[in-house]
Amino acid sequence: MASFQKRGKTWTAKISYYKDDVREFVTKGGFRTKKEAQYWANENELDISNGSNLKGGKQLFTDYFLNWYETYKKPILAKSSRLRYQYTIGIIMNNFAGKRLDEITRSEYQQFLNEYANPLSVDGKEKKQRSLSSSEKVNVQIRASVRDAVEDGLIKRDFTAHTKISGRPEKPKEMKYLDAGDADKLTRALESDINIAHLTKLMALVSLQTGARFSEVAGLTWDCFSEKFNTLRINKAWDTLGKKDFTDTKNPQSKRVIKITPHMSEILRNYHKLQLIKLEELEIDNPLNLIFLSQIGKVPDDTAANQTLHRVLKKIGAKDITFHGLRHTHASYLIYKGVSIYYISERLGHANYSTTIRVYSHMIREMEKVEAGKTLVALSEMGRSVNKLVNKRAKNG
């Protein structure tokens, strides 16, 4: 039920309704005419009858997003994924402080996306444009929460709909991995210098040979290595932020056993012997039984690993990629060699096969072209075989 009151030159509308046997009120003022106030009241009474929660939209967007994250996301996410959401929470706190959920317009949200991708300069210092992928990750998380708010009847419209992200373009996909020739050169360069002083080279070699993520490589312990079966078991990861202990893998599928070559097994076995001798000489304990414990008693961080990789790549004349690019190189090389995409997906520990297909669609398309050529050749040969058989029978008559 609605009531209306004129205050000065404007009208105020008040709606009353019952929710869970409790009477609720929603009031809005500032209407120029009574007809405008009536239109607002009629529209919102219809929303209430359809299950909308008008009061829910009046909460601060920062409070809503935090509660949404705690309820729907935090319980099911790995620590690394939770950190990404916590980053987004910080962004929302900085950009939407004091803003109610039902106040944000599509144009305001688009302005936020524009400013996020292109930060304003501070004290005359230009800020680096954020990457397109960074903008996309923030937008995806916010959009999911807003769509749930619409679904729950807290707001009537999705203010993230039909907005556009921007940012620094990503590197071309072919710049994220090495071709087969450079992968071979890198393998030989890394194998030629395996010792505890250059530990990050062995880390790079393991990633190149297994496709494991940096945190997974850093979290390997000697009980994960089986010389008998030539395998490495990924059952945990290294906490690259805390840098003192293990953390969970990115997703449940990331827990896996990866087959390695006998040669890789031999390298690890020989390195283990060297590590035991060196750590004893340096009087360094290894209570966590880590494979990659440096001569100062710490696990190398990803910055050190990337720096080492950059130097080696420059030395062999290969294009520059990141440590994560070794994972892409591993997968791309296997696709190039015709290995099943489903096996590659399990080897990489992807959450599902569609992730692998999406990430490596560029390689799959290239291989499809090759397979299409093979198919046409095969079909042509089949036709010629049939014709030869028919001609032979006709000749023999």
Side-chain angles (χ1 to χ4, degrees):
M1 185 174 179
S3 60
F4 307 94
Q5 183 178 3
K6 189 173 185 181
R7 294 179 176 176
K9 295 183 178 181
T10 61
W11 287 82
T12 296
K14 185 177 183 179
I15 302 172
S16 65
Y17 62 98
Y18 284 90
K19 182 183 177 184
D20 300 327
D21 296 326
V22 177
R23 196 176 188 187
E24 302 276 1
F25 297 93
V26 178
T27 304
K28 183 174 174 62
F31 297 105
R32 291 177 299 172
T33 64
K34 185 177 181 179
K35 189 174 182 179
E36 287 181 357
Q38 289 172 328
Y39 178 81
W40 176 87
N42 291 338
E43 188 179 46
N44 283 278
E45 283 180 329
L46 179 61
D47 289 334
I48 291 170
S49 66
N50 290 331
S52 293
N53 180 0
L54 297 184
K55 282 201 146 184
K58 297 188 180 302
Q59 63 185 299
L60 295 178
F61 180 46
T62 50
D63 293 342
Y64 168 75
F65 188 87
L66 184 59
N67 182 62
W68 174 82
Y69 161 73
E70 294 280 349
T71 303
Y72 296 104
K73 294 299 178 180
K74 186 177 180 180
I76 62 173
L77 293 174
K79 185 176 180 179
S80 58
S81 298
R82 292 200 299 268
L83 290 173
R84 184 72 224 183
Y85 273 90
Q86 288 163 15
Y87 171 79
T88 300
I89 289 170
I91 294 296
I92 291 173
M93 294 291 185
N94 290 333
N95 289 273
F96 294 98
K99 271 282 185 182
R100 290 194 336 227
L101 180 61
D102 62 356
E103 284 181 332
I104 303 170
T105 65
R106 190 160 67 93
S107 61
E108 286 175 327
Y109 184 69
Q110 182 63 66
Q111 184 63 29
F112 155 71
L113 291 177
N114 296 342
E115 292 176 358
Y116 176 79
N118 302 280
L120 298 175
S121 59
V122 178
D123 297 329
K125 294 182 180 179
E126 289 293 326
K127 285 194 172 183
K128 188 176 180 181
Q129 184 184 40
R130 289 191 173 95
S131 69
L132 193 63
S133 64
S134 178
S135 296
E136 183 177 20
K137 287 173 183 175
V138 169
N139 181 56
V140 163
Q141 292 175 0
I142 293 177
R143 177 167 289 178
S145 74
V146 173
R147 286 178 175 174
D148 279 357
V150 175
E151 182 71 20
D152 292 339
L154 303 181
I155 53 177
K156 292 184 286 184
R157 295 181 181 85
D158 175 6
F159 58 77
T160 70
H162 308 298
T163 53
K164 304 293 182 183
I165 61 171
S166 58
R168 188 177 69 255
E170 300 296 311
K171 287 183 179 180
K173 285 186 169 63
E174 61 270 16
M175 293 302 293
K176 294 183 177 181
Y177 64 92
L178 301 177
D179 58 30
D182 283 344
D184 181 59
K185 289 181 185 177
L186 178 60
T187 299
R188 285 186 274 114
L190 295 172
E191 286 181 359
S192 67
D193 191 19
I194 300 296
N195 60 72
I196 195 170
H198 299 152
L199 193 54
T200 48
K201 290 185 179 180
L202 181 55
M203 296 178 80
L205 181 62
V206 169
S207 181
L208 185 59
Q209 288 284 308
T210 64
R213 303 172 178 92
F214 174 80
S215 60
E216 294 172 344
V217 174
L220 286 171
T221 48
W222 284 113
D223 59 298
C224 295
F225 168 53
S226 172
E227 184 183 354
K228 179 180 178 181
F229 296 106
N230 294 325
T231 59
L232 280 172
R233 185 174 72 253
I234 305 293
N235 57 7
K236 57 191 175 302
W238 188 249
D239 184 353
T240 56
L241 295 177
K243 301 179 181 180
K244 292 182 179 180
D245 206 347
F246 302 111
T247 186
D248 203 1
T249 54
K250 186 174 183 180
N251 54 57
Q253 291 77 16
S254 292
K255 290 182 170 65
R256 61 204 189 275
V257 176
I258 304 174
K259 289 288 292 183
I260 58 176
T261 65
H263 181 55
M264 189 72 238
S265 284
E266 183 183 4
I267 289 173
L268 288 171
R269 184 186 73 243
N270 292 335
Y271 168 73
H272 194 195
K273 294 176 183 177
L274 292 174
Q275 184 197 56
L276 291 173
I277 295 170
K278 193 65 178 177
L279 293 182
E280 186 177 357
E281 289 178 358
L282 297 171
E283 297 182 351
I284 293 175
D285 293 328
N286 187 6
L288 298 179
N289 201 27
L290 290 159
I291 293 180
F292 298 107
L293 187 69
S294 73
Q295 56 188 349
I296 59 171
K298 294 183 179 180
V299 175
D301 59 24
D302 55 350
T303 300
N306 274 298
Q307 288 173 346
T308 296
L309 180 60
H310 295 327
R311 286 196 297 269
V312 177
L313 290 171
K314 185 177 181 180
K315 186 176 180 180
I316 64 175
K319 63 186 172 188
D320 194 26
I321 63 170
T322 63
F323 194 97
H324 195 72
L326 298 172
R327 176 173 166 85
H328 291 314
T329 300
H330 178 82
S332 300
Y333 183 81
L334 294 183
I335 293 171
Y336 172 73
K337 289 294 185 179
V339 177
S340 164
I341 194 70
Y342 301 105
Y343 172 71
I344 294 171
S345 182
E346 292 176 357
R347 191 173 173 88
L348 294 176
H350 277 161
N352 50 59
Y353 300 136
S354 61
T355 300
T356 316
I357 293 170
R358 175 178 56 79
V359 173
Y360 299 103
S361 59
H362 60 292
M363 285 293 298
I364 295 171
R365 284 194 296 269
E366 287 299 316
M367 295 309 296
E368 284 176 347
K369 293 177 184 178
V370 174
E371 295 304 315
K374 289 180 182 178
T375 300
L376 294 177
V377 170
L379 291 174
S380 298
E381 290 175 350
M382 181 177 69
R384 286 198 295 272
S385 299
V386 172
N387 290 334
K388 285 179 182 178
L389 181 60
V390 170
N391 292 335
K392 184 176 181 181
R393 286 178 178 176
K395 186 176 180 180
N396 294 335

